[in-house]
Amino acid sequence: MNQRIQLASVDDQRNAEARETVRQRISWPANLTPANVTYHSRGHALLIGSADDVYPAARALQGRGLASLTLLVTESNSPGDDTLGASEPLITQTLTQEQLSHLRINGYLGAFSVQLDDGDSPLNLARALIQRDGFDLILDLAATTHTQRWELPPPGYVVMQWQNVEQRSDTLDDFVGLVGEFDKPRYFQVNSDLCAHSTSGNIGCTRCLDVCPADAISSIKGRIESHIEIDPFLCQGVGSCTSACPTGAIEFRLPETRRQQDTLSAWLSAYREAGGQVPVLRFITHDSQDAERAAGIVPAGHVIDAPLEELGAAGHDQWLTALAAGAAEVRIQLHPNMPARLSAFLLDQVAQAHALLDALGHDSARVKLIEIADGAARDALPTLTPLTEAPLSLPEPEKRARLNHVLARLAELGNPSGERAEVPVGAAYGAIQVDSDACTLCHACVSNCPTPALKSGGKTPALSFLEADCVQCGLCEQACPENAITLMPGFLASNARETRQICHEEAAFECISCGKPFATVSTVATIKQKLANHPYFAGEAMIRLEMCEDCRVKDVWKTMIRDPDAQLKV
């Protein structure tokens, strides 16, 4: 289970040969024909910053193919720059620091909206200054002095410090290159039927919204309920939304999560067949991998790299899949300039992986982050042998079902505590507690549950719950009209997690007229209490609440036949 490795028995050359065999036999999956989004930029550029920075930047950009230059400069004690030529249209507008704080910028390459919210009506600066709806690209030389903030700026929005002479030339070259037509992959696919974000006007899961550093995801309020939308022009393929989504409603397409998991398992099997020992799977970005190769860095033979567009494209479900398929360790290679929300996301995912491993009786050190340029940690031999050499097959198409399969395998290979383990706040693991005295089995919770976690009892009035399918979205808790449901976060390291439990059941109430069961005893009692003063059920008519819907209609018609004016008395 957690057997220590005999270091002297590990042959690095044999491991390197086995790794090469894996690479030749099984390719990392790639979406060869991804759907694209297209940017159209005509080169109308906006420069923002102090006069001391903007004027020399504008002078460096003139004559380099931009359609126009618009300068938003803050007040300066320095005189204006009259050395600017006129090779392209040039507009200069001075803003006070107060006005700069009211600048609002939205959009992306080819479609930036820049508004000055200074007063009662916002001013569209592109319309006012260059008679266009927007700017195509923006060079921000004042990112530290105005209120516009992006962790991951949208395509076409370039932030630079003019005083950074070393990067100045390359940044300006990249900036003038943003003219023309550009295609970018549509990184994601959304299945709204699986989304746990909203139902019946209630807001549930917001995990994707919380982790996107590009602010590409929005909750769109409809007439009745909200839904998730991803702006493909803002999305930059970080992938954390797909890893954070507990149901698989958002799926990364380069490649899909399922194909990544299947490939990881196939790689490990092929590595073992080729004689490799103690494999370590390292999740690394394509850019970091290319940088290592350019520097002549070759990882140790037992390190197998899983290349990603960005580290967020693989979360704790994939890391645990690797361990369940026979990896001795999983390492996540960090890289420079990671957005803050991506860094926080990875720390949270590692914390979740550690909590699950601890609960299932495994060493949490099997999953770890590798700091930038830490070659020793990257190449170190794992201290424990793999949990298994048996191949892992995941036939289930749904993300949650695959994860439950992985957790079941890890439970078999470990020593589960049998207790409910604490997990990080917001993790998609837990149960519900149902107050039997308050529950009327109206099943509003069932109709609002986005997964099969909650089910009705069929012909028998009951409410059942399967913890393995619960993603702790809270929609059942919000939908319950009797406030009878409370969420219970935590991972239950027991077989009971995969066994459907009866939360509440009652005897059926039988119609006093025909004997057909049509509701529960508590439901009828509650309705009678709430409608006691309603004129339609006054007097003897109250017994209609103890009839099924058919008999209730028949009784109304019988009353009207006996007394045609009865309906006028209500």
Side-chain angles (χ1 to χ4, degrees), residues 44 75 221 265 360 370 372 376 387 445 480 559 562:
H44 294 278
E75 293 176 321
K221 180 66 177 176
S265 181
L360 295 172
I370 303 299
I372 301 168
L387 295 172
C445 55
C480 180
T559 301
R562 291 194 303 267

Side-chain angles (χ1 to χ4, degrees), residues 530-542 544 566-570:
K530 291 183 177 181
L531 297 178
N533 297 321
H534 195 287
Y536 188 78
F537 298 103
E540 295 182 357
M542 178 61 71
R544 290 178 183 155
Q567 60 180 326
L568 302 177
K569 299 176 182 178
V570 178

Side-chain angles (χ1 to χ4, degrees), residues 47-54 71-75 100 139-142 145:
L47 279 62
I48 307 172
S50 69
D52 295 336
D53 293 339
V54 167
L71 316 182
L72 290 185
V73 297
T74 55
E75 293 176 321
L100 193 64
L139 181 63
D140 190 346
L141 301 162
T145 59

